[in-house]
Structure formats: structure tokens, C-alpha cells
Amino acid sequence: MRGVDVSSYQGEIDWPVLAEQGIDFAYIKATEGSSTVDSRFEANWPGALDTDLLVGAYHFMSFETPGARQAQHVIDTVPDGATLPIAVDVEFYGDFFQDPPSRADVDAILGPLLDRLEQHYGVPAVIYATPEAYDRYISGGYPDNPIWIRSVVLPPALDDGREWAIWQYSHRDRLSGYRGDEHYIDMNAFSGTTEELAGLIDR
């Protein structure tokens, strides 16, 4: 089970072409923080749903705004109809690489964000994390949320012994069907079957 995740960096996407290259699912960037919408989401969302791919949207979480506000921004942007749960991207950015917030501060944002998204969409959101963010903020917590882990050098091993659901194994693949500033595309693997992946939305 292979899939892609995309954003405005891939530019205009020819979804029928992309979908025919041995992939089964796609995650599309929708939102960031409490106000930003990815500039290609409005085109990518219906384009992807018009293929046979399983499709979900992802939100890039901000460490600077309340989780409830971020959740409402997602809800206002991402319509019902996805075949995969919303994903929340938790990773360092900007000055936070050097000065990361505490786990308590992140829990105070991430907890309400996940709760509100589950309340609205009816299923637990997927948590995407880099290994550094996972170890600092996710490890040992959020047991109901499937984990999507980035690990582009070695197969992932989560420090709390938890099983991952999705593994982002490459950020430098090339496929046909998009033309943007970014020539590469992120590739991901799901740990189970098509039925199990589709079942994430039915739990």
C-alpha cells in the first residue's frame, strides 16, 4: 500500500495521471495554523476525489495559536467526503527548532485540536510527526490516533514501542502528473491492506 502527500509545492496536479502510478492513497495539504489555506487545496481536493484513490486532508499544526481555533479553521475548509481521516502534522518549524515548546504547551494545543476534529468528522485524526517531534510530544500519549511517522533513512521504530500506521519513507521520489516548484514528491507506505486503510474512516 503506497501513497503520496502533496501541497502547493507540487503545483498543478493531473490527478488521473498521478493516480495510475502504483499508488493507493493521497493526503493533501489543506490548512496551516488558524488562517492559512494551501493555495492548491481547492483544486486538489475534488481532483483527487474523482479518482479511485483513498483521499485525506492534512493540517500543519501551529505552536502559536489555540487548538480549538485551528480545528475550526480545518472544519471551515475541509468538507465531508474524505475516505481517510484528517491528519495533523506535528513538527518543528522556524525558531522552534532551536527553542522548542514544552510538552505541556503542545498538549494544550494538540489535545483540543484532536478532540474537536474527532467530534466533527467522527473518527480519530491521524498524527503525522517527525521522529524528533514524536519523541518529544507524542510518545506514550494519544493512543486512539493512528501514527504517521517520517523516516527517510531507516525503517521507523517508535521509542515507546507503538506500531505505526503510515510511514513516510521518501521525500525525493519523482512521479509524472504534476508541475510545480518542487520536482520531488513524498512517498508513504501503509502497514496493512486496502480494506484496513479504508477502515480508518469507519472506526
Side-chain angles (χ1 to χ4, degrees):
M1 292 292 297
R2 295 198 316 154
V4 297
D5 60 274
V6 301
S7 70
S8 59
Y9 290 115
Q10 276 73 41
E12 182 178 353
I13 296 176
D14 187 329
W15 282 99
V17 170
L18 186 61
E20 291 300 317
Q21 294 175 81
I23 61 173
D24 306 285
F25 65 95
Y27 265 101
I28 298 166
K29 184 175 183 182
T31 48
E32 184 170 334
S34 60
S35 60
T36 300
V37 177
D38 187 86
S39 63
R40 294 296 306 169
F41 178 71
E42 186 176 353
N44 280 334
W45 188 246
L49 288 175
D50 202 33
T51 70
D52 292 332
L53 297 173
L54 295 169
V55 179
Y58 78 88
H59 168 74
F60 190 96
M61 192 189 85
S62 168
F63 296 137
E64 301 162 270
T65 51
R69 271 177 48 197
Q70 295 190 54
Q72 191 59 53
H73 179 42
V74 176
I75 291 164
D76 290 343
T77 304
V78 180
D80 294 330
T83 47
L84 292 175
I86 291 283
V88 175
D89 182 341
V90 182
E91 60 180 284
F92 300 113
Y93 60 91
D95 292 340
F96 292 110
F97 281 104
Q98 301 300 321
D99 186 22
S102 69
R103 176 148 187 170
D105 288 343
V106 172
D107 283 340
I109 297 170
L110 182 57
L113 171 57
L114 294 174
D115 288 346
R116 182 70 181 96
L117 292 177
E118 182 173 354
Q119 180 184 39
H120 179 81
Y121 292 106
V123 292
V126 172
I127 298 175
Y128 169 96
T130 61
E132 298 80 10
Y134 184 88
D135 293 350
R136 188 175 185 96
Y137 301 125
I138 311 301
S139 180
Y142 307 101
D144 296 330
N145 299 92
I147 298 301
W148 175 8
I149 192 73
R150 172 188 168 93
S151 184
V152 299
V153 177
L154 297 171
L158 304 182
D159 73 344
D160 55 358
R162 186 171 176 179
E163 297 293 326
W164 51 268
I166 304 174
W167 167 25
Q168 186 184 90
Y169 63 85
S170 174
H171 64 295
R172 292 183 66 82
D173 269 39
R174 286 179 183 260
L175 296 176
S176 300
Y178 59 92
R179 53 176 187 269
D181 294 335
E182 177 57 71
H183 299 299
Y184 298 107
I185 196 166
D186 294 338
M187 296 298 300
N188 304 273
F190 178 68
S191 61
T193 66
T194 304
E195 291 75 17
E196 289 169 333
L197 180 58
L200 291 178
I201 204 76
D202 298 325
R203 295 195 301 164

